[in-house]
Amino acid sequence: MSLCKKDQTVRAAEENGDILLPDNFVPGSNDVVCARGKSYWDHAGNIMYRQLIGGSTDKYSMTTNKLEKTLIVSEIVEAIHKRGGRFVKKLRKGGPWVEVDEVFAREKVGQSLRDGLHDKYKSSTKAKKQRRSQVNEKFNGDIEKVIFSNRRVSNRIQQLTKEVEKNGALASDYSIISLFSRANSDILESIKKDASMLNQYQDATVAANVEVA
């Protein structure tokens, strides 16, 4: 690197508050490389950094004010420094390495914690949706068993199915609605008269609510 270009690089680093590192610098196992994408995902220092973030996410989520958040960020930055690590990046694409200033490092840690909370929330929401879907599927199966356990109800449903198959293509919307309405009334009356069906329905509903909670 020419002296003129080196001077420009030093000035660029100083303007950002960064410290220019030697030309032969290679990130160490405790250094955190600040780079976009997955280029340094498997770097030892970045793996350690993600572990620190992961271990602090729950505590960060329970903070009630900015001071508490700031203290957690400080703990992570200090943990890196105590290991002899630094927050480093390339000044530009293909350019020299620099140690970033304290402000940049803290902003990175804060953003990583917020991203961790977001990912955790998404994962939790997805798991809840999957669980609810499984419970609903089981509940529907239980209710179907309850309904078909009553011979009168089962026969009425089969009768309705045959009537729809026979007349459905030619029947008007009004007649189809009337058909379903009469069948629903018959089925509900049969369920009301069968105490065991009501008890089974209540048991299935309670079980589903307990599993979702």
Side-chain angles (χ1 to χ4, degrees):
M1 183 186 296
S2 67
L3 288 176
C4 181
K5 190 171 183 180
K6 188 169 184 178
D7 287 342
Q8 291 176 347
T9 301
V10 171
R11 283 198 299 272
E14 289 176 345
E15 287 175 1
N16 293 328
D18 302 325
I19 299 173
L20 188 66
L21 296 169
D23 292 341
N24 61 350
F25 172 79
V26 175
S29 59
N30 291 316
D31 291 328
V32 179
V33 179
C34 306
R36 293 181 178 179
K38 303 289 185 179
S39 53
Y40 287 91
W41 180 261
D42 294 326
H43 174 65
N46 287 47
I47 294 174
M48 173 192 65
Y49 173 73
R50 290 197 301 275
Q51 291 171 344
L52 288 171
I53 293 295
S56 301
T57 303
D58 285 339
K59 184 165 63 171
Y60 191 81
S61 69
M62 292 185 289
T63 56
T64 57
N65 57 61
K66 191 170 183 178
L67 176 59
E68 291 176 351
K69 289 181 170 66
T70 299
L71 290 174
I72 293 173
V73 170
S74 296
E75 288 174 2
I76 294 174
V77 173
E78 288 173 9
I80 298 296
H81 290 160
K82 283 180 180 178
R83 289 172 168 81
R86 293 165 288 189
F87 290 83
V88 301
K89 69 173 184 178
K90 286 190 174 182
L91 191 59
R92 58 179 178 273
K93 188 175 181 180
W97 288 94
V98 296
E99 179 179 357
V100 302
D101 71 338
E102 185 79 5
V103 173
F104 187 98
R106 294 179 68 84
E107 286 178 351
K108 176 179 174 61
V109 172
Q111 186 60 52
S112 295
L113 287 166
R114 291 189 291 275
D115 290 344
L117 283 180
H118 178 67
D119 292 342
K120 183 178 179 180
Y121 173 77
K122 282 203 309 184
S123 176
S124 175
T125 301
K126 183 178 179 181
K128 286 179 180 178
K129 285 182 178 179
Q130 290 176 339
R131 180 59 180 161
R132 185 175 291 277
S133 177
Q134 292 170 353
V135 170
N136 286 341
E137 186 176 346
K138 182 178 182 300
F139 175 73
N140 290 335
D142 291 342
I143 294 302
E144 186 174 346
K145 290 178 183 177
V146 171
I147 290 173
F148 281 93
S149 67
N150 183 290
R151 185 180 297 275
R152 180 177 173 80
V153 172
S154 179
N155 289 339
R156 190 67 182 88
I157 291 174
Q158 291 175 6
Q159 181 185 352
L160 173 63
T161 302
K162 290 178 180 178
E163 288 177 353
V164 171
E165 290 176 350
K166 181 180 178 181
N167 304 312
L170 301 174
S172 65
D173 290 344
Y174 176 77
S175 61
I176 290 294
I177 292 172
S178 298
L179 191 67
F180 273 94
S181 180
R182 289 195 301 272
N184 284 337
S185 296
D186 292 344
I187 290 170
L188 286 174
E189 283 301 317
S190 298
I191 291 174
K192 287 177 183 178
K193 293 176 182 178
D194 189 337
S196 66
M197 285 188 70
L198 289 174
N199 291 334
Q200 291 178 67
Y201 175 80
Q202 290 172 351
D203 289 343
T205 302
V206 170
N209 288 336
V210 169
E211 290 187 49
V212 171

